[in-house]
Amino acid sequence: MAIPDFIRELRATAGHQLLFLPGTSAVVLDDEGRVLLGRRADTGRWALVCGIPEPGEQPAAAVVREVYEETAVRCVPERILLVQSMEPVTYPNQDVCQFVDICFRCRAVGGEARVNDDESLDVGWFSLDALPELDEFALTRIKLALAEGPTWFDPTLPE
């Protein structure tokens, strides 16, 4: 996964210590109800499109940019599905990050799905009854995208 320049600059002074960062993810659906997935270059697994907003960038704009950069698909965010703090991740270079994911349900409005950068090995549309193996992160968000419920958040409050 490409490291944004602003993260490189932070790491120059912060070292490997935990960075708490915003993240976005997208459940992109087409007119046939298929979901857009990319096979990640770093893990080889199929996943939703995810990314990090640039400083000052709105989350909805970031998700549109990330979807296009990774898949060449144009999309429009329709609603926020979920806001969730994830567990910290330690990368192979020992950098530690914890993301707050803002997941959007998006509607595809143009473009042809294809690998559009070096973060993906493959890109494709999948019908809901023929999804590849996905982790719980993706499955939960797809389930929320298909429901018409309110935005999900962890209701646990500090005592």
Side-chain angles (χ1 to χ4, degrees):
M1 178 166 76
I3 300 173
D5 290 339
F6 80 95
I7 301 275
R8 280 187 216 288
E9 291 171 17
L10 282 171
R11 287 287 179 208
T13 57
H16 298 298
Q17 71 179 309
L18 174 69
L19 293 181
F20 191 64
L21 299 167
T24 60
S25 60
V27 178
V28 181
L29 301 169
D30 69 4
D31 290 338
E32 297 173 37
R34 299 176 302 171
V35 65
L36 179 66
L37 300 173
R39 195 159 63 87
R40 296 176 57 103
D42 59 349
T43 66
R45 295 182 50 90
W46 287 98
L48 298 174
V49 175
C50 301
I52 301 172
E54 296 289 330
E57 185 178 33
Q58 293 296 324
V63 84
V64 168
R65 176 183 51 77
E66 289 286 349
V67 168
Y68 182 75
E69 284 178 359
E70 294 183 24
T71 70
V73 171
R74 299 277 183 200
C75 69
V76 174
E78 295 182 319
R79 68 182 175 101
I80 295 174
L81 299 174
L82 165 149
V83 177
Q84 181 181 31
S85 285
M86 307 306 297
E87 291 296 318
V89 175
T90 301
Y91 291 96
N93 68 356
Q94 301 309 302
D95 286 352
V96 182
C97 295
Q98 184 175 14
F99 295 96
V100 175
D101 180 46
I102 303 168
C103 183
F104 292 84
R105 180 175 76 182
C106 300
R107 179 175 36 89
V109 294
E112 196 74 30
R114 62 178 168 81
V115 173
N116 204 34
D117 67 9
D118 60 358
E119 294 184 39
S120 301
L121 300 173
D122 198 2
V123 169
W125 291 103
F126 292 85
S127 64
L128 297 171
D129 60 357
L131 293 173
E133 184 178 334
L134 295 169
D135 60 20
E136 195 60 36
F137 179 97
L139 293 172
T140 296
R141 285 153 177 76
I142 292 168
K143 180 180 175 183
L144 289 170
L146 301 175
E148 291 301 324
T151 301
W152 182 94
F153 60 92
D154 186 338
T156 308
L157 299 174
E159 293 183 19

